[in-house]
Amino acid sequence: GENVEQHPSTLSVQEGDSAVIKCTYSDSASNYFPWYKQELGKRPQLIIDIRSNVGEKKDQRIAVTLNKTAKHFSLHITETQPEDSAVYFCAPRNDMRFGAGTRLTVKP
Amino acid sequence: NAGVTQTPKFRVLKTGQSMTLLCAQDMNHEYMYWYRQDPGMGLRLIHYSVGEGTTAKGEVPDGYNVSRLKKQNFLLGLESAAPSQTSVYFCASSYVLAGFNNEQFFGPGTRLTVL
């Protein structure tokens, strides 16, 4: 089955700094690469996704980059704000296994 | 559109009791999933369904059963609850288009405590 690793497990940054979270997967058949955000006590929600035929996608302060050869994709958040504080999950292929999550804390 | 709804929101059971969690979606999605999330942990897939009348095991299926008799509903059953099943349960649904799986939409979760 799919092996998914997410790093780091926790990340603390100052407001305005950038944050990068990496997700490594094993299944070369994966063709859809989403990132979900889960605020405390809430349900996970999609924040950005990328298809296997695209290398990078950007949506305002959030971007996702994909390296299919190396089997990893990353979430980039620029100009971080306190409301970015949450747990972020990757889910390559989106149908089975989620990463263990990265707890991001943005300090004002 | 209500999206994905879950019933109940909270439940306390005694060891050995049984219960059924109900998930409903009104987006006509083919795929539905049940996850559990323990405190400070990620999401672990219990069972999933790729269509009405079909179900499959996920990562942690032991102690749970599921049924998908109607496309819009996915039921999760605990036949004999154990304290290790204390968790938050999330249901989700998604659609497939041109061979690609797509965004999962999650329900609000059910907080289950087994004493």
Side-chain angles (χ1 to χ4, degrees):
Chain A
E2 177 81 274
N3 218 21
V4 180
E5 291 188 2
Q6 201 175 319
H7 296 283
S9 57
T10 61
L11 181 59
S12 182
V13 300
Q14 282 301 130
E15 183 176 358
D17 287 350
S18 295
V20 181
I21 304 169
K22 184 176 179 179
C23 182
T24 304
Y25 61 96
S26 61
D27 188 351
S28 55
S30 296
N31 59 15
Y32 176 63
F33 305 91
W35 284 97
Y36 291 85
K37 176 183 180 181
Q38 186 178 29
E39 297 175 358
L40 191 62
K42 301 282 183 65
R43 71 190 82 182
Q45 289 191 296
L46 181 80
I47 54 169
I48 196 165
D49 57 12
I50 194 169
R51 305 287 180 189
S52 61
N53 56 343
V54 177
E56 182 175 354
K57 182 178 177 181
K58 193 173 181 182
D59 182 4
Q60 298 183 352
R61 297 186 298 108
I62 294 172
V64 55
T65 57
L66 171 65
N67 185 329
K68 283 213 79 178
T69 304
K71 295 183 187 172
H72 65 74
F73 62 113
S74 298
L75 175 68
H76 305 256
I77 307 175
T78 58
E79 300 170 30
T80 53
Q81 300 167 4
E83 51 265 38
D84 294 328
S85 295
V87 179
Y88 293 82
F89 295 100
C90 65
R93 279 188 61 184
N94 200 44
D95 61 359
M96 287 289 285
R97 210 172 278 263
F98 277 66
T102 296
R103 183 173 299 279
L104 173 65
T105 303
V106 180
K107 299 176 183 175
Chain B
N1 266 3
V4 180
T5 58
Q6 291 183 231
T7 310
K9 290 185 170 54
F10 303 92
R11 186 72 187 268
V12 178
L13 289 178
K14 293 181 180 177
T15 297
Q17 287 186 316
S18 63
M19 79 163 294
T20 300
L21 282 68
L22 170 64
C23 176
Q25 53 96 3
D26 60 2
M27 296 173 283
N28 202 33
H29 287 171
E30 295 92 351
Y31 286 22
M32 295 188 75
Y33 316 78
W34 275 108
Y35 295 91
R36 62 176 287 175
Q37 185 174 38
D38 299 323
M41 304 285 285
L43 295 153
R44 291 188 291 169
L45 183 66
I46 305 170
H47 287 280
Y48 65 102
S49 168
V50 300
E52 182 179 322
T54 71
T55 63
K57 294 179 180 179
E59 299 172 74
V60 290
D62 293 343
Y64 305 95
N65 56 76
V66 288
S67 65
R68 184 123 181 247
L69 299 179
K70 293 182 179 180
K71 187 176 184 179
Q72 63 268 33
N73 295 338
F74 196 27
L75 277 64
L76 178 71
L78 285 74
E79 290 184 349
S80 179
S84 60
Q85 293 178 305
T86 294
S87 191
V88 177
Y89 291 84
F90 285 102
C91 175
S93 70
S94 69
Y95 67 95
V96 176
L97 186 63
F100 282 102
N101 205 341
N102 286 277
E103 173 185 1
Q104 286 195 30
F105 292 83
F106 285 83
T110 294
R111 187 172 296 276
L112 175 67
T113 302
V114 183
L115 302 175

